[in-house]
Amino acid sequence: MRDGVDRTNGPPDEWGYASDLADMSGEVAICGVGDSDVSKASGRTTKAIVGQAVERALDDAGLAPTDVDGLMYVGMPEQFDVAAFHEHFGTSHDIWESRRGGGMTGAAVAPYYAAEALRAGKARFVLNTFGVAWATQRSDMTGGPGESHAQDLFKQNLEIPLGWFPQPVYFATIARRHMHDFGTTEEQLGAIAVACRHHANLNPEAVMRDKPLSMEQYLASPKFVEPFRKEDCCLISDGGGAYIMTTLDRAADRPKPPAIVAGVGLGHSSTGTHWAQQPAFTSTPAVFSAPAAFAMAGITPADVDLFTCYDPFTIVTLMQIEDSGFCEKGAGGPFVAGDALRFDAGRLPTNTHGGMLSHAYVLGISHVVEVVRQLRGEAAAQVAGCEIGVYGGYTGPQASTLVLRRAR
Amino acid sequence: MAEHRIDGKITRAAFPLPDLTWPLTAEFWAGAARGELTIPACDTCGRSRWYPKETCPHCGGEPYTWTAMSGHATLFSWVVVTHPFLPQFADLVPFVPALVALDEDPGIRVPTRMVDCDAADLDFDMPVRVTFREISFTGVDGSVVAPLFVPA
């Protein structure tokens, strides 16, 4: 929706567009972050997972539960709404609430809507959270995380009966076409998986902390949805995260250095989750979101010290690197090859906590937590001199870009 | 979509067979049953409308007419699936889900399966043609005739 107009079927002859977002650069800072424990199936509930992440974010920010007077999440089942917050903390105060946050693309655009609430005096400290217990719930879900797609009646009636389902099939199809169009190789996709695993091996919180992955191991792994191996696909996890936003003035009084929101962008694909029909088949709407966010921040891709991106599959990282302007479209394969994405040796340190491929599939919220830690110098795989970090969110219908910078 | 949702779970017993009663795709499956690959054409602007939504993405027009295609296409992309992502796919693996671009309008990509071929022989943009086959799924009663594709 833009200007209240539904463009899910168009606009004609354009495959997507950027939301027209007002400049809010430098208005909001992230003053506290927290991850839950992340794991395979754990028997925990989503609300308990998010509650733990929120407790840690409050500790990090030096705040009490009663200081939180704004709460953002996404309109998915079991998310941490105001009722859940009060139940968890035994509080009852007034809390401004918005469903335009959470993980995925919301993890990048939440600060934009938080800025409106902070500006209007509706809230002083706005918490954004997201969590899933999909590892625990997996056996009850149709196609695992494919469940939401299985609900789509076009998919039920034109895709699934032909076997074009679920997400690993969609993105393996995209990857193969990217290979044809641009010469991308399996080894180049493997470089993304190997870099993420290397980062996870350095991160004591990561699900795959004890599981090394070499290129030789990657190439020897069977292709279960060719051209993808399981290492091209993200984990299925229980976990969540949280971050707290406020004004720069208030953030200056918090114990940790603030991460300043320098730019936000939101892009849309007119074909939504019907990936088969997206005219720009091997692109993401980061094509629209990234230039908008970088313009708001007054930076170019060359200024970025750290990139984290929603990485359900290796090819999605590759496409976002291209679409965000870190290299030319189609040059992503050579760009990511070798050690290019590693935290210490790379041209673009990427998903330095391990990403969804090797940290946990918590749908992007931990990516933002990681950017903040990197800007503070607190990360497990710390990027030297990290001053500007970017998170790229993605759902298919949307991509979003968040630029954070260290306080100067 | 509400008729198919109970607590977010799919309860339609025939899933993943298509719902032949869903108005927006019923004609697609009726065409397949009589051996025709049909795609809606917008009555207002004449352009193909795919997927068959109620409103034309190009002109905003609503009425449309299901139109038989030649069944000739090119192979846009494909994957080789050896893992059954749904238990109903258990007897299907390995299989080759694919997208084919229709000769009449290459902008239209039809999700399908490649059959009667060795996946190693497939190539980008190779000519393919439709074939109509009865498909069924593990543990699901019934079958339907579906438009699958073979190398031309």
Side-chain angles (χ1 to χ4, degrees), chain A residues 111-396:
Chain A
Y112 183 81
Y113 300 107
E116 294 179 346
L118 292 165
R119 206 181 297 139
K122 292 176 180 167
R124 292 161 49 87
F125 291 99
V126 180
L127 174 67
N128 181 45
T129 76
F130 184 78
V132 285
W134 284 354
T136 291
Q137 297 165 356
R138 184 178 194 174
S139 60
D140 284 338
M141 300 167 79
T142 304
E147 181 167 286
S148 65
H149 298 285
Q151 307 291 346
D152 180 320
L153 291 187
F154 284 107
K155 292 177 190 254
Q156 275 192 31
N157 291 300
L158 293 175
E159 296 181 356
I160 301 172
L162 288 312
W164 206 66
F165 175 82
Q167 293 95 318
V169 176
Y170 308 153
F171 285 93
T173 310
I174 292 169
R176 192 188 291 278
R177 188 71 202 189
H178 198 283
M179 290 171 169
H180 170 68
D181 288 350
F182 304 115
T184 306
T185 67
E186 291 178 5
E187 193 158 354
Q188 289 164 348
L189 295 180
I192 296 168
V194 169
C196 281
R197 187 63 61 84
H198 180 65
H199 295 150
N201 294 157
L202 297 169
N203 179 359
E205 306 301 323
V207 171
M208 302 303 272
R209 58 188 171 268
D210 297 326
K211 302 253 176 64
L213 178 69
S214 67
M215 181 59 76
E216 292 68 31
Q217 288 171 308
Y218 171 86
L219 291 171
S221 181
K223 291 183 258 191
F224 78 123
V225 47
E226 189 197 337
F228 277 171
R229 300 159 168 87
K230 72 178 183 195
E231 290 80 4
D232 289 295
C233 307
C234 68
L235 307 170
I236 307 290
S237 310
D238 290 358
Y243 61 84
I244 301 170
M245 297 165 281
T246 190
T247 59
L248 267 59
D249 283 352
R250 290 190 199 106
D253 295 333
R254 298 293 100 212
K256 296 287 181 68
I260 298 169
V261 176
V264 175
L266 181 61
H268 306 262
S269 169
S270 301
T271 45
T273 60
H274 296 154
W275 281 277
Q277 307 308 321
Q278 183 173 291
F281 188 66
T282 56
S283 294
T284 70
V287 165
F288 309 110
S289 64
F294 293 163
M296 190 188 291
I299 65 165
T300 70
D303 297 322
V304 175
D305 301 308
L306 165 72
F307 185 50
T308 68
C309 66
Y310 191 89
D311 55 334
F313 303 98
T314 49
I315 188 66
V316 176
T317 298
L318 188 76
M319 291 192 293
Q320 287 186 84
I321 285 172
E322 296 174 342
D323 298 343
S324 301
F326 296 112
C327 64
E328 293 293 311
K329 187 66 196 175
F335 184 89
V336 304
D339 292 342
L341 304 187
R342 291 203 186 196
F343 78 103
D344 55 350
R347 55 170 64 161
L348 183 67
T350 298
N351 288 344
T352 44
H353 61 317
M356 303 191 321
L357 294 174
S358 283
H359 166 258
Y361 182 35
V362 292
L363 286 75
I365 191 78
S366 288
H367 290 64
V368 177
V369 170
E370 170 69 6
V371 174
V372 173
R373 288 183 178 147
Q374 287 279 359
L375 295 173
R376 292 174 177 175
E378 292 179 347
Q382 180 63 45
V383 174
C386 186
E387 295 185 357
I388 296 179
V390 170
Y391 165 65
Y394 179 66
T395 58

Side-chain angles (χ1 to χ4, degrees), chain B residues 97-122:
Chain B
L99 302 178
V100 297
L102 297 184
D103 280 7
E104 287 87 349
D105 182 350
I108 288 184
R109 302 182 195 126
V110 177
T112 186
R113 258 198 287 143
M114 292 301 300
V115 292
D116 296 353
C117 59
D118 183 338
D121 295 333
L122 297 177

Side-chain angles (χ1 to χ4, degrees), chain B residues 46-146:
Chain B
R47 294 178 71 168
S48 300
R49 189 185 303 180
W50 190 249
Y51 294 151
K53 298 191 175 177
E54 283 153 325
T55 305
C56 178
H58 306 291
C59 75
E62 291 182 3
Y64 58 91
T65 303
W66 286 89
T67 308
M69 301 285 113
S70 67
H72 290 282
T74 53
L75 182 59
F76 184 72
S77 193
W78 71 98
V79 297
V80 183
V81 176
T82 51
H83 171 81
F85 288 98
L86 293 175
Q88 296 93 330
F89 290 168
D91 295 327
L92 209 55
V93 291
F95 65 104
V96 184
L99 302 178
V100 297
L102 297 184
D103 280 7
E104 287 87 349
D105 182 350
I108 288 184
R109 302 182 195 126
V110 177
T112 186
R113 258 198 287 143
M114 292 301 300
V115 292
D116 296 353
C117 59
D118 183 338
D121 295 333
L122 297 177
D123 201 3
F124 295 95
D125 305 325
M126 71 186 284
V128 295
R129 64 177 171 78
V130 72
T131 180
F132 294 94
R133 304 286 171 90
E134 196 168 303
I135 63 169
S136 59
F137 296 97
T138 310
V140 177
D141 290 336
S143 64
V144 68
V145 174

